[in-house]
Amino acid sequence: MTEQSSKDFRTSALQAIRIERDAIDALEGRIDHHFIKACEVIMACKGRVVVTGMGKSGHIGNKIAATLASTGTPSFFVHPGEASHGDLGMITSQDVVIAISNSGNTSEVVTILPLIKRMDAPLISMTGNPDSVLAREAVANLDVSVETEACPLGLAPTSSTTATLVMGDALAVALLEARGFSKEDFAFSHPGGTLGRRLLLRVSDIMHTGDRIPKVPEGTTLSGALLEISRKGLGMTTVLDASGKLTGVFTDGDLRRTLDKNVDVHTTAIEHVMTPNGKTIQAEHLAAEALNIMEEMKINALPVTDQSGSLVGAINMHDLLRAGVI
């Protein structure tokens, strides 16, 4: 590869970015009464938002539908070609249709317009031609026209698809904020994602309970406590008083510090070497809160208590890792 060709690659790429950036900048002046009308129509929708578009517009429409659906506006994509062969049955009079076409005259989209109008489903268009059939038939036309495509041939949809995508994102964000959509709402739409797990998973969902909780009574020797730690495999054991209340925790870290003092593991009672009144968490708290405590305190496990302070479970860093919280 020559130095000149490397320079040409960079020049072409930067030119494409500048052209697409200009196309996005031009959208600011088009957040007008048509955009507001589109938002109002969608907010009043009792059904779903159905997005349709052909070719590259269809690919962008798929993404817009996915973004709307994940931010509080139920939505799905229908291919206009398939709509003419049965999939139009997916659309009802309760829905709102967003039709995307740069020319505004795409035959596959125009073909289904009379049927959409007949069922009285409100139509919103996203076009680059305000005088097109699609724009004229819509209750609101979102102008996504561009001066030039980033493609030097002026053929491949580049700036136009970028402008459409950004306009779709602007619509989704405006609706999101109007609905008061929260992080928790987003998490419910993304239970398999990291954010969903962090926002939805409770300590009670992953903690060890019953016989799986490492625990010894006060008076147990250090050697007995070590056997409990080994059996339960959480890297610690809780210590309970005669009434069953949590009084302390003994961890692997405590063991290392204890051995440095030449303590007799067979005669020393656990309450003399445990960490009294250590950190705990309640079962109804988020697992992400348990992670924050462990990271802040530089510990690997936590006892879980109820509101009265009684021990109900235990959780460690490996549990959080397996659950995908980390």
Side-chain angles (χ1 to χ4, degrees):
M1 184 181 296
T2 67
E3 182 179 346
Q4 185 60 36
S5 65
S6 298
K7 181 179 179 181
D8 291 343
F9 287 149
R10 188 172 185 275
T11 299
S12 296
L14 290 174
Q15 178 68 3
I17 290 170
R18 292 185 187 112
I19 291 173
E20 297 207 14
R21 183 173 61 217
D22 290 343
I24 294 172
D25 288 342
L27 294 179
E28 290 192 21
R30 302 173 195 166
I31 306 301
D32 53 13
H33 64 284
H34 284 281
F35 185 88
I36 294 170
K37 177 66 174 179
C39 290
E40 290 173 345
V41 169
I42 294 174
M43 288 294 289
C45 176
K46 292 182 172 59
R48 287 171 168 75
V49 175
V50 182
V51 184
T52 190
M54 196 70 189
K56 302 298 186 295
S57 293
H59 294 310
I60 296 300
N62 251 310
K63 194 277 179 183
I64 291 173
T67 300
L68 288 168
S70 68
T71 54
T73 300
S75 179
F76 62 92
F77 178 82
V78 170
H79 191 285
E82 298 295 334
S84 295
H85 297 276
D87 282 3
L88 200 65
M90 296 179 177
I91 307 173
T92 74
S93 60
Q94 300 294 309
D95 299 327
V96 171
V97 177
I98 297 178
I100 305 172
S101 167
N102 188 41
S103 69
N105 296 310
T106 303
S107 59
E108 291 88 350
V109 178
V110 171
T111 296
I112 63 175
L113 282 185
L115 300 171
I116 294 172
K117 302 293 283 187
R118 186 173 179 178
M119 68 177 66
D120 204 27
L123 174 68
I124 296 167
S125 63
M126 298 178 72
T127 76
N129 181 4
D131 297 320
S132 62
V133 172
L134 192 57
R136 290 198 304 268
E137 293 296 326
V139 297
N141 177 57
L142 305 183
D143 183 358
V144 291
S145 60
V146 297
E147 284 193 16
T148 181
E149 297 286 5
C151 168
L153 303 176
L155 298 175
T158 44
S159 302
S160 56
T161 49
T162 298
T164 304
L165 180 61
V166 173
M167 182 66 84
D169 286 344
L171 187 64
V173 169
L175 294 167
L176 177 155
E177 294 191 348
R179 297 183 193 281
F181 195 78
S182 66
K183 285 184 178 180
E184 286 73 19
D185 295 324
F186 186 87
F188 276 109
S189 299
H190 300 74
T194 299
L195 178 60
R197 288 190 290 272
R198 288 183 66 89
L199 290 178
L200 298 178
L201 200 67
R202 305 282 173 179
V203 170
S204 58
D205 295 325
I206 56 175
M207 69 183 187
H208 300 262
T209 59
D211 291 337
R212 298 170 62 202
I213 304 173
K215 53 189 174 183
V216 296
E218 289 182 345
T220 300
T221 62
L222 178 52
S223 60
L226 294 178
L227 287 174
E228 180 69 356
I229 292 174
S230 178
R231 281 194 296 263
K232 301 301 171 62
L234 295 188
M236 65 94 169
T237 184
T238 57
V239 183
L240 309 179
D241 65 15
S243 65
K245 293 290 185 181
L246 180 69
T247 59
V249 176
F250 187 80
T251 68
D252 289 340
D254 291 322
L255 174 61
R256 287 190 292 272
R257 288 184 288 273
T258 299
L259 293 178
D260 284 341
K261 300 175 183 177
N262 295 319
V263 170
D264 188 337
V265 298
H266 299 293
T267 59
T268 303
I270 190 64
E271 60 267 26
H272 298 310
V273 292
M274 70 180 185
T275 299
N277 304 315
K279 282 286 183 179
T280 63
I281 194 167
Q282 294 186 356
E284 65 272 17
H285 287 190
L286 293 173
E289 295 180 60
L291 175 61
N292 291 339
I293 293 173
M294 290 184 201
E295 289 180 336
E296 180 183 350
M297 303 303 298
K298 294 181 172 56
I299 56 179
N300 293 315
L302 277 174
V304 184
T305 60
D306 61 17
Q307 293 184 350
S308 68
S310 296
L311 183 69
V312 295
I315 187 172
N316 74 355
M317 194 69 77
H318 294 295
D319 300 320
L320 298 172
L321 183 61
R322 281 191 295 269
V325 179
I326 300 175

